[in-house]
Amino acid sequence: MDELQRVMCVEDDPDIRMILEFSLGRLGGYTLSLCASGQEALDQAARFAPQLVLLDVMMPKMSGPETLQHLRSVDCMRGVPIVFLTAKALQDDVEALLEQGATGIIVKPFDPVTLPKDIRIYWKHGRDIHP
Amino acid sequence: MTVLVVDDIETSRNHLVELVTDIGYHCIQAASGGEALQHIDFTHVDIVLLDLLMPDLDGFELTRQLRKRVTGTWLPIIVVSSLEGDEHFVHALAVGAADYLVKPVRPALLHAKLRHYQHVLALQAHTATLAQRQKAINETIADAILTIDSKGQVCEFNRAARQLFEAEAGADLTGRPVRELLGIGLEQLRSTAEIVHPGAGLAPPTFSLSSSEWSIGADSYCTIALHDLSAARRVERMKDEFLATVSHELRTPLTSIVGALGLLVAGAAGTLPPAAMELAAVAQRNGARLGRLIDDLLDLTKLEGKRMTLHIREASLKALLGEAVTANTGYARQLGVQLKLHTLVGAAHAPVDADRFLQVMANLLSNAIKHSPTGMTVDLRLLADPLGWRIEVADQGPGVDPEFRTRMFEKFSQADGSDQRSVGGTGLGLYISRMLVERMGGSISSSSSAGQGSVFSVVLPRLPADRPSPWVLCIARDHQELDRLATWISDLARTELVPDLVTAQALVQRIGAPTALVANPQSQGLADEFCAKLPTITAIDRIVLVGDALDDRFALRHGMRWMPHSSTSREALKTQLLTLLNEASGGASHG
């Protein structure tokens, strides 16, 4: 599988989900699974088999890091790069998130025009880490 | 001042009273030792003049009793006698008299002596006031204050100290070893700034510790003050949480606003009519500006509160400046400005926080680009400086108004709005840059003359001998293993810990190759592939593999040293690394 096609976005804010749909779906041409919660992501993961996950950090009920832990235990998700979307730009927070096993961090506000290209870099990067 | 005159012979007593009164002191009299003692009990007396030869209670015995009765302050007793010889005066001084006068008393001498004791009493009163005030402060202050003698034992303490320590000990603190109370000895006290209250429950409070040493003669003492930091820490934590929340709450809507506008402008929802495009661009630009303002305010709050942690490491300034140019080329091109990097020195390393350094450079470069006329060049120069390294950002713009130059590194300072391109700044950039550079031990300045453009200079301290000191990089997925490695190695050289290869590569790209690399291939994907990529970090002969998941043949195949877990003792690993580190320093000195 040499092209990135299926991207899962987990984001509780409906407006940001819509931006992601425009950016990654319409502009980027990716096939998307838009999830409003960590639970929804877990329900969809096996069927959708994403090649990359964009994961909001601060979500009610199941937080981003929690969702990441659960996703990692799904069979087809083991080597899939997971990139956090976060509004917390503080250096220490970023380091803590990377330590929790994220492939990368995208800081909000992000540029929806360059996002389709940006995530491809994380995808390639991620394959280096999880060969 | 009140003088008590004690004499059993009336004429002699009256004579003394007359003399004292003439000098101007208040006088009370007693005809016997017994009467004198009664006076002392009920009246305030400053000085006693007493006759040595009296029936019943003589002057010697009276002196003894007065000394016993009057405690807390010192009462000058002057004995008076017409007896021949010195022995009785010597005796009187021995039992507690302060001075003597020979009868008949000469007025001038009496006057001089009373004046002298008045001075002594004034000094005594002054000292007492000081002590009283000191005691009041000591007892009411919330910080625990202890004085420790040279044997490391408590010899003085205040109320707060009593409460802090006696609550659990239930005993007098005097004589208690300070080590027992604080968990550290007298020697360590001098170099300790913070201490966690030992044995104080689940969440032991942290105290800041300040000490001051003093001595009386050959005896030395150390007075320490313990200030409870819990409340301050709690407020700090609340402020951090508040900042994080504010940041999150402001950024989330901003993400939608700026994102939607960006998509509109990019034509994701169809082509916009030119007028709508212009308006959307205005909104987009200002959304981005709001984002920068939030970032700047967060930085500012952290910097001013001294709560921004800088990750200062040796870094190659050349590499960082290259990165800075790459990052700002897009903006320069947009405004038709050229960006040129001139590195006029060989290797230049400085201890900086790379991200924050890039932030400073981005600020200076974007300012320079913003103020450059189209077609002009912004020059970025790296030069040697007596104080270290000098980085100059020079533009060919209109220069800075001299009036503004004096306050340009202050908070919320912006030149007046006549220059259209200055729109979009937050007025915090240079202020934050200054604070960041100063936190990295450097300085920032600017020079400019009308029509000649401006030059902004950052001077950063140079590393001793400008050679990166040896350091060891450890790659292991397991936190506990990393921690163990760190404790083993940290006394040999500086140690950096990373969980995986990608993080390691990013670090090396930024600060250069490590002197030695310790890596555990466990949980890093295929061990063979992992090891094959290790030489991207540092030379093969500087790599030590650890872990049980491999064997000798595996390590041999990759040409690396290997230490299995079962035998990876602290000493064995240290010996290996020491060899590598010594080789490195030897090699460098030849070069």
Side-chain angles (χ1 to χ4, degrees):
Chain A
M1 215 175 303
D2 277 320
E3 244 351 278
L4 174 61
Q5 286 163 352
R6 293 181 312 283
V7 178
M8 173 178 268
C9 303
V10 192
E11 166 65 63
D12 64 314
D13 187 303
D15 287 343
I16 297 182
R17 275 205 306 280
M18 187 175 171
I19 302 283
L20 288 168
E21 187 182 359
F22 263 91
S23 160
L24 298 177
R26 293 209 193 176
L27 280 186
Y30 297 109
T31 309
L32 296 184
S33 163
L34 293 167
C35 306
S37 69
Q39 190 54 53
E40 210 179 311
L42 289 179
D43 295 343
Q44 299 282 334
R47 197 170 344 126
F48 183 69
Q51 294 162 282
L52 180 122
V53 180
L54 280 182
L55 183 54
D56 185 26
V57 173
M58 272 181 140
M59 292 188 292
K61 288 187 194 151
M62 196 189 289
S63 75
E66 278 167 352
T67 309
L68 181 139
Q69 297 310 325
H70 288 301
L71 279 177
R72 284 274 180 244
S73 65
V74 176
D75 265 346
C76 68
M77 294 296 297
R78 215 145 277 154
V80 174
I82 298 181
V83 177
F84 275 125
L85 272 176
T86 176
K88 282 182 159 192
L90 304 182
Q91 185 69 27
D92 295 349
D93 297 332
V94 168
E95 279 178 18
L97 288 175
L98 283 175
E99 269 173 30
Q100 283 162 5
T103 310
I105 309 282
I106 290 176
V107 176
K108 291 177 188 174
F110 53 83
D111 182 349
V113 179
T114 58
L115 188 66
K117 211 169 66 194
D118 293 343
I119 62 167
R120 199 167 297 137
I121 295 168
Y122 282 110
W123 180 63
K124 286 187 178 144
H125 208 61
R127 292 201 308 179
D128 290 341
I129 310 180
H130 315 279
Chain B
M1 206 167 73
T2 306
V3 180
L4 170 63
V5 173
V6 193
D7 200 329
D8 58 317
I9 301 161
E10 196 180 357
T11 48
S12 153
R13 190 170 68 238
N14 284 344
H15 178 61
L16 274 173
V17 167
E18 203 174 303
L19 286 176
V20 170
T21 316
D22 280 352
I23 296 168
Y25 295 126
H26 176 240
C27 200
I28 51 179
Q29 43 183 303
S32 69
E35 203 184 324
L37 288 175
Q38 277 177 6
H39 275 301
I40 284 291
D41 283 345
F42 297 106
T43 332
H44 172 77
V45 172
D46 293 302
I47 298 179
V48 179
L49 270 176
L50 61 85
D51 185 31
L52 274 182
L53 285 184
M54 291 187 292
D56 302 329
L57 201 59
D58 68 10
F60 302 104
E61 188 51 32
L62 179 58
T63 301
R64 227 179 256 124
Q65 295 215 10
L66 282 173
R67 278 277 165 262
K68 228 183 266 170
R69 233 173 254 218
V70 182
T71 53
T73 60
W74 177 71
L75 176 71
I77 300 168
I78 303 172
V79 295
V80 185
S81 172
S82 55
L83 289 169
E84 295 275 319
D86 294 336
E87 309 82 47
H88 51 283
F89 286 133
V90 172
H91 185 199
L93 292 176
V95 296
D99 212 336
Y100 67 92
L101 282 167
V102 181
K103 272 185 183 174
V105 172
R106 280 183 294 179
L109 194 59
L110 175 69
H111 190 176
K113 291 208 171 178
L114 288 180
R115 273 253 304 276
H116 168 73
Y117 286 105
Q118 191 180 5
H119 282 309
V120 175
L121 286 174
L123 275 177
Q124 177 178 262
H126 181 63
T127 312
T129 313
L130 281 183
Q132 196 64 42
R133 193 186 303 160
Q134 204 56 52
K135 195 177 173 207
I137 292 171
N138 258 338
E139 289 300 293
T140 47
I141 201 164
D143 293 356
I145 297 171
L146 296 161
T147 297
I148 319 289
D149 63 18
S150 54
K151 283 180 286 182
Q153 293 177 343
V154 175
C155 55
E156 242 175 38
F157 54 93
N158 70 344
R159 187 181 51 83
R162 205 158 44 227
Q163 283 172 352
L164 182 62
F165 295 110
E166 272 192 327
E168 54 202 21
D172 189 6
L173 293 182
T174 313
R176 293 268 304 270
V178 65
R179 184 179 290 282
E180 208 177 274
L181 295 177
L182 295 176
I184 55 172
L186 192 58
E187 277 311 309
Q188 291 147 285
L189 272 182
R190 296 179 181 130
S191 54
T192 306
E194 261 181 39
I195 194 166
V196 176
H197 185 9
L202 278 176
T206 304
F207 291 87
S208 73
L209 190 153
S210 47
S211 62
S212 106
E213 285 167 64
W214 49 280
S215 55
I216 299 177
D219 299 325
S220 62
Y221 298 89
C222 180
T223 297
I224 59 171
L226 296 165
H227 179 71
D228 190 346
L229 294 172
S230 318
R233 290 281 152 85
R234 204 162 44 238
V235 172
E236 237 171 65
R237 210 167 40 242
M238 279 165 63
K239 201 171 165 189
D240 276 346
E241 280 164 15
F242 173 75
L243 275 175
T245 312
V246 166
S247 155
H248 181 261
E249 294 307 315
L250 290 176
R251 272 172 213 266
T252 301
L254 198 62
T255 305
S256 297
I257 296 170
V258 176
L261 289 165
L263 287 165
L264 272 181
V265 170
T271 314
L272 292 183
M277 185 73 157
E278 231 173 274
L279 288 174
V282 168
Q284 190 190 20
R285 217 165 37 235
N286 284 279
R289 182 180 173 189
L290 192 56
R292 283 197 302 277
L293 194 53
I294 294 170
D295 290 347
D296 281 359
L297 281 173
L298 275 174
D299 279 356
L300 184 73
T301 321
K302 295 210 89 179
L303 273 170
E304 290 194 331
K306 306 244 182 304
R307 279 174 303 107
M308 180 181 279
T309 330
L310 292 194
H311 303 267
I312 293 186
R313 290 171 183 142
E314 291 161 29
S316 155
L317 293 181
K318 267 187 174 178
L320 284 175
L321 291 178
E323 261 185 70
V325 169
T326 311
N328 290 278
T329 299
Y331 181 52
R333 201 172 293 147
Q334 224 178 321
L335 294 180
V337 175
Q338 259 209 313
L339 210 52
K340 270 191 191 157
L341 174 62
H342 315 263
T343 49
L344 307 173
V345 290
H349 288 86
V352 292
D353 178 318
D355 286 332
R356 295 302 180 174
F357 176 78
L358 287 175
Q359 183 182 346
V360 172
M361 293 322 297
N363 179 256
L364 296 181
L365 286 172
S366 66
N367 275 347
I369 294 166
K370 197 159 63 182
H371 293 108
S372 290
T374 308
M376 291 296 178
T377 306
V378 169
D379 292 299
L380 179 60
R381 291 187 285 262
L382 172 62
L383 314 143
D385 183 277
L387 294 175
W389 301 111
R390 169 184 294 269
I391 297 138
E392 289 183 351
V393 178
D395 64 49
Q396 293 164 300
V400 182
D401 177 7
E403 202 197 316
F404 175 60
R405 247 181 46 216
T406 54
R407 56 188 171 89
M408 65 195 301
F409 290 107
E410 301 301 321
K411 216 188 304 186
F412 293 111
S413 60
Q414 269 180 300
D416 66 56
S418 57
D419 181 358
Q420 279 303 306
R421 276 176 164 185
S422 71
V423 172
T426 61
L428 290 170
L430 283 177
Y431 177 66
I432 290 172
S433 293
R434 189 190 95 200
M435 294 193 75
L436 286 173
V437 168
E438 284 173 1
R439 282 282 302 272
M440 291 186 252
S443 63
I444 191 166
S445 60
S446 82
S447 63
S448 166
S449 47
Q452 302 270 313
S454 320
V455 180
F456 282 80
S457 308
V458 171
V459 174
L460 288 169
R462 195 187 289 245
L463 282 177
D466 197 45
R467 185 164 52 77
S469 59
W471 64 286
V472 180
L473 178 61
C474 299
I475 310 177
R477 189 63 80 180
D478 180 11
H479 278 287
Q480 286 177 338
E481 183 176 10
L482 281 178
D483 287 346
R484 193 176 60 240
L485 287 172
T487 25
W488 284 1
I489 304 170
S490 58
D491 55 338
L492 284 184
R494 195 162 56 80
T495 310
E496 293 287 350
L497 310 171
V498 296
D500 54 47
L501 203 58
V502 172
T503 322
Q505 282 165 336
L507 183 68
V508 166
Q509 198 168 26
R510 188 161 288 164
I511 67 173
T515 323
L517 169 66
V518 178
N520 185 344
Q522 196 152 13
S523 310
Q524 302 278 9
L526 288 175
D528 262 313
E529 287 187 25
F530 173 78
C531 290
K533 285 179 188 156
L534 286 180
T536 60
I537 305 285
T538 190
I540 278 193
D541 58 358
R542 318 218 138 266
I543 301 173
V544 181
L545 295 177
V546 292
D548 279 329
L550 354 153
D551 56 29
D552 250 327
R553 275 171 47 205
F554 176 92
L556 203 63
R557 196 166 68 238
H558 287 278
M560 296 168 189
R561 295 158 210 246
W562 170 61
M563 308 202 66
H565 256 298
S566 40
S567 69
T568 306
S569 69
R570 183 190 188 120
E571 287 319 314
L573 182 65
K574 276 174 84 167
T575 314
Q576 282 268 12
L577 289 173
L578 209 54
T579 319
L580 290 179
L581 295 174
N582 282 341
E583 277 171 25
S585 65
S589 67
H590 295 310

